[in-house]
Amino acid sequence: MDDETQDAIEELHAMLDRARVIVPFTGAGISTESGVPDFRSPGSPWMRNKPIPFDAFLASREARVEAWRRKFAMDDHYRDARPNRGHRALATLVAEGRSPGVITQNIDGLHQASGIAGSGVIELHGNGTYATCLTCGWRHELAAIRAQFEASGEPAACTMCGGIVKTATISFGQQMPQQPMLRAHELTMSADLYLVAGSSLVVFPAATFPVIAKRNGAKLVILNREPTDLDAIADLVVRSEIGPALARLAN
Ligand SMILES: [Zn+2]
């Protein structure tokens, strides 16, 4: 690590020490150390497939079969993923009451696995570790859906109402989840230090939250391996992997 990055990390920790309310906003970059692929990174196997839009998923059995096939193939790649130093550092901030919760674009459930209670993780793009019925909202576990899919080749139907079952993630063309969006806004407005960690801030509307925080008077720190469009308005930019930068906070 070069001196400039090291200095930026020291400044980051000084800012964390001074802050009263720290709100982390995380993206794929925090989970790469856990082995979860970043879908948008060059070379990711998922860049080869065009995403299946929500309306196509609803309209076509073939699209649902393809969506489940991809989902289970992807799960095989990161079934052993565990929270890393970055997740644990943020869990410490929450446990110590220095942060009210983490806003995340990730669907991997690793913030919860790091020990943050469910209500402390605001998932803007949903959760890929279980599924729900689009009609009645009933929760379905992936293991049962997979067993049935592999036995019959048919996409899951809700055992309660017969409705279409989908992973609890937000697809392209699907409405943003109202409750998490409201909660994310609330947390964003409470921050005096807004810590973007591992997000390239390209997916809207999620990426507007750091702008809202900054406009509301929070200090904005962007901790990301690559440059982002919001670097220019940040109070501090740390160009680093998340784990090494936050490691000293991790229990
Ligand atoms: Zn149902």
Side-chain angles (χ1 to χ4, degrees), residues 29-207:
I30 198 169
S31 292
T32 49
E33 191 176 301
S34 296
V36 178
D38 180 350
F39 301 87
R40 280 176 292 278
S41 72
S44 157
W46 293 282
M47 288 300 280
R48 288 199 304 262
N49 295 320
K50 258 176 57 184
I52 298 166
F54 186 57
D55 55 357
F57 183 91
L58 290 182
S60 143
R61 176 193 163 274
E62 282 66 37
R64 293 196 288 280
V65 168
E66 175 61 10
W68 285 112
R69 192 191 61 73
R70 288 185 196 174
K71 165 64 180 165
F72 297 135
M74 183 161 68
D75 282 359
D76 287 343
H77 275 261
Y78 66 89
R79 89 167 79 231
D80 298 324
R82 297 289 176 270
N84 63 55
R85 296 173 289 178
H87 296 106
R88 292 201 303 275
L90 300 185
T92 300
L93 292 178
V94 174
E96 290 175 348
R98 298 165 66 193
S99 170
V102 175
I103 302 168
T104 187
Q105 297 174 288
N106 298 341
I107 59 168
D108 55 32
L110 290 178
H111 286 301
Q112 290 91 333
S114 75
I116 304 176
S119 61
V121 183
I122 294 91
E123 296 175 311
L124 298 178
H125 297 158
N127 187 306
T129 66
Y130 62 95
T132 51
C133 171
L134 293 173
T135 303
C136 75
W138 189 262
R139 174 174 166 145
H140 296 267
E141 302 309 321
L142 294 178
I145 291 176
R146 183 169 187 163
Q148 179 258 316
F149 179 75
E150 286 174 352
S152 70
E154 287 299 315
C158 179
T159 47
M160 302 299 283
C161 78
I164 292 174
V165 174
K166 181 182 167 296
T167 56
T169 54
I170 306 299
S171 297
F172 288 85
Q174 191 172 1
Q175 205 182 11
M176 291 297 282
Q178 203 173 22
Q179 200 52 40
M181 286 296 279
L182 288 172
R183 182 100 171 91
H185 191 262
E186 200 175 274
L187 252 65
T188 296
M189 296 301 281
S190 76
D192 70 336
L193 179 62
Y194 209 77
L195 173 61
V196 174
S199 172
S200 45
L201 299 172
V202 290
V203 180
F204 284 86

Side-chain angles (χ1 to χ4, degrees), residues 1 3-17 33 84-93 96 98 223 238 240-251:
M1 190 179 294
D3 286 352
E4 196 185 337
T5 308
Q6 200 59 58
D7 288 349
I9 291 172
E10 292 309 318
E11 176 59 18
L12 163 63
H13 284 278
M15 289 174 80
L16 288 168
D17 287 344
E33 191 176 301
N84 63 55
R85 296 173 289 178
H87 296 106
R88 292 201 303 275
L90 300 185
T92 300
L93 292 178
E96 290 175 348
R98 298 165 66 193
L223 167 56
V238 186
S240 162
E241 300 287 344
I242 315 303
L246 296 181
R248 74 180 76 162
L249 290 174
N251 281 333

